[in-house]
Amino acid sequence: MSGARARVAALGAVYSDPAALRALQEERFAAQLDRLRTRHPRYREMLQGAEVASLDDFARIAPTGKSDLASDPEAYRLDAADPSDILWDIAYTSGSTSAPTPIFQTARDFRAILTAQLHMAAIRGMSADDRIANLFPLTTQPHGAWTRANHAAAALGCELVVGLGGAAADDYPVTRRTTEIVRMLERTQPTVLWGVPSYLARILEAARSADVPLTGIRMFAASGEACPPALQAQLTQLAAEVGSPDAVVSNSFGASELQCGLVECVPGTGFHNPAPDQFFFETIDDDGAPTSDGEPGRLALTHLDRRGTAFLRYVLGDVVEYTIEPCPECGWAGGRVVAHHRREGSMVKVRGNLFDVTVLGAAVGAVDGVREHQAVVRTASDGMDELVLRVVETADGALDADAVQRAVRAAIRVTPRVERVALFDIHGATGSLKPRRFVDERSS
């Protein structure tokens, strides 16, 4: 039995048995449906008179959009009914195009989150023997990434060290500078670096420059942004240069509405739903009708067992291919995202050319000498749109601006103006979870 298969088997036979798992999901959904009909401000009204009794009846329910939640977050929070429904914590979404939106967790939800974190760890191969370094920044609003990494270590019972990077505050200056974080890592020698991959690379570059050996790294738990092959290769190369030649990148697909992430058992096997008894995923078309298993569609989430913020057919904003076929590597039957096509709303038009900003980002990230970037669309002095690429070059100063222009022009048929900037100009002083890689400064 492979290591991945053994880890999954240890979580329980139900997670490798599609029929048994579906029966459990239906049982959980029936109870959740009763709660939504009686205690949920928004779905109580929506479900009135609706003939919905099982997961097969989903096509009769209108999807919920992010704008629906943002307009009235309290309407998606169940009314408290018993002591376990008391508020435990609040996490906020980190979207860059709207105000942060609260996601409420009850005391019972928090225990469910801990369970999901244990499943994530088992699937990706983390254990109580690891030493985790939480390198997410301390953000302005409570965010699930920073807090849940700490909670995952608590649930596992493993050692934890927290970088506590982020923007400094005058009143209570508790955050650490990069040099302080590097020295902390040298002292503790973690086995898992958990954080936004571009920031993990930044920390390792600082360690390399300071000749700090980090010889115990075996895994990067990457979250918070896409980690394409070029960035994965950069991370493993940097790890080798500081003394950890066998480190691997464990990618993930997270969402604030989950308070956990879908993870890989082995790189390239797809993002596994770690708690299919808590979360049900489907893909839908533009009209809300389910798409076939493994066919592209908009990923939608339904909570099967939740007491705080709870959703029915909530559209997360990603176009993916999702399958419930068991993973051929580990046997997990809880469902997997096997291909991610794009984020919805990522299509932009500049000078008559329509392009996907994710394609733009991949093209820039593949150019040698690019450490970080930000694409800005603005109106030029002649009244026409222009695309500006603000690029941070790597420490060796090998950036070729012409190569950036050629790569972008080949990918999206738009020639950008390239500006060299400092990393701070992209991350800014807000202590944000991740760099803002696309900004549209046009007034309309």
Side-chain angles (χ1 to χ4, degrees):
M1 181 181 291
S2 70
R5 195 167 290 270
R7 297 194 304 266
V8 164
L11 293 175
V14 67
Y15 298 110
S16 300
D17 185 334
L21 185 54
R22 180 65 179 216
L24 176 59
Q25 290 177 321
E26 289 286 8
E27 178 185 332
R28 293 285 177 90
F29 180 62
Q32 182 76 0
L33 202 56
D34 287 341
R35 286 186 286 271
L36 296 178
R37 282 192 165 114
T38 57
R39 296 169 46 198
H40 197 286
R42 182 57 52 85
Y43 295 131
R44 180 168 49 209
E45 177 182 351
M46 184 181 295
L47 292 170
Q48 189 173 11
E51 295 181 3
V52 178
S54 77
L55 297 171
D56 292 327
D57 300 326
F58 263 11
R60 299 171 183 171
I61 305 171
T64 297
K66 285 182 176 285
S67 60
D68 298 322
L69 171 66
S71 66
D72 190 0
E74 289 284 351
Y76 291 88
R77 179 183 178 186
L78 263 71
D79 300 330
D82 60 56
S84 69
D85 292 334
I86 192 170
L87 181 67
W88 182 275
D89 66 22
I90 304 173
Y92 288 80
T93 61
S94 60
S96 61
T97 57
S98 61
T101 302
I103 306 292
F104 301 98
Q105 281 71 231
T106 69
R108 190 179 190 281
D109 293 335
F110 180 62
R111 290 176 180 265
I113 289 168
L114 293 179
T115 301
Q117 292 289 342
L118 286 172
H119 287 190
M120 285 173 59
I123 292 169
R124 72 197 323 179
M126 291 164 53
S127 75
D129 294 329
D130 275 309
R131 296 184 301 278
I132 296 175
N134 175 0
L135 296 180
F136 288 109
L138 183 64
T139 51
T140 306
Q141 297 90 13
H143 191 276
W146 188 83
T147 56
R148 302 314 174 204
N150 299 335
H151 295 153
L156 277 171
C158 71
E159 296 180 51
L160 169 73
V161 62
V162 181
L164 208 66
D170 293 334
D171 294 337
Y172 298 104
V174 297
T175 55
R176 297 186 180 93
R177 299 188 300 271
T178 299
T179 53
E180 294 175 303
I181 294 173
V182 168
R183 292 303 175 186
M184 180 189 69
L185 297 180
E186 180 183 26
R187 185 178 70 254
T188 58
Q189 291 296 318
T191 61
V192 176
L193 303 188
W194 196 343
V196 177
S198 58
Y199 182 72
L200 298 182
R202 175 182 173 188
I203 291 294
L204 287 183
E205 287 176 340
R208 180 185 61 184
S209 298
D211 290 325
V212 169
L214 299 174
T215 59
I217 303 169
R218 67 175 195 86
M219 179 185 294
F220 296 98
S223 304
E225 67 177 358
C227 189
L231 182 51
Q232 293 181 41
Q234 181 185 11
L235 286 170
T236 54
Q237 177 63 33
L238 285 168
E241 291 174 3
V242 297
S244 296
D246 299 321
V248 298
V249 177
S250 178
N251 226 333
S252 68
F253 177 96
S256 298
E257 296 83 359
L258 299 172
Q259 291 301 292
C260 68
L262 283 67
V263 293
E264 301 173 309
C265 65
V266 172
T269 55
F271 300 115
H272 299 42
N273 172 7
D277 50 344
Q278 298 182 40
F279 312 120
F280 180 85
F281 291 100
E282 58 175 329
T283 49
I284 62 177
D285 62 21
D286 291 340
D287 297 321
T291 61
S292 300
D293 187 81
E295 293 296 317
R298 305 161 71 201
L299 188 64
L301 160 71
T302 291
H303 286 122
L304 299 178
D305 187 11
R306 208 157 199 279
R307 307 297 195 272
T309 299
F311 298 119
L312 274 176
R313 307 192 86 202
Y314 178 85
V315 182
L316 288 165
D318 300 89
V319 177
V320 306
E321 295 172 28
Y322 187 82
T323 181
I324 58 173
E325 288 295 318
C327 174
E329 182 68 31
C330 69
W332 188 257
R336 294 170 294 136
V337 170
V338 293
H340 187 284
H341 291 282
R342 66 180 186 276
R343 288 283 296 174
E344 288 191 308
S346 64
M347 302 302 291
V348 176
K349 182 176 286 187
V350 174
R351 293 182 181 262
N353 290 295
L354 187 67
F355 63 88
D356 188 334
V357 297
T358 58
V359 174
L360 165 63
V364 178
V367 177
D368 290 340
V370 174
R371 173 177 175 178
E372 190 55 87
H373 73 275
Q374 181 182 72
V376 180
V377 179
R378 58 171 65 123
T379 302
S381 57
D382 61 0
M384 299 291 289
D385 294 338
E386 69 169 345
L387 175 65
V388 179
L389 272 177
R390 310 173 75 219
V391 180
V392 182
E393 61 185 340
T394 52
D396 57 15
L399 177 67
D400 181 347
D402 290 338
V404 173
Q405 285 187 321
R406 289 194 299 271
V408 173
R409 183 167 57 244
I412 65 170
R413 303 187 307 280
V414 176
T415 301
R417 178 162 59 84
V418 178
E419 296 178 352
R420 286 179 170 85
V421 299
L423 190 64
F424 183 84
D425 294 327
I426 291 178
H427 277 270
T430 60
S432 61
L433 179 66
K434 50 195 173 184
R436 193 176 176 188
R437 292 213 176 93
F438 180 76
V439 180
D440 193 338
E441 295 182 347
R442 294 173 294 187
S443 59
S444 59

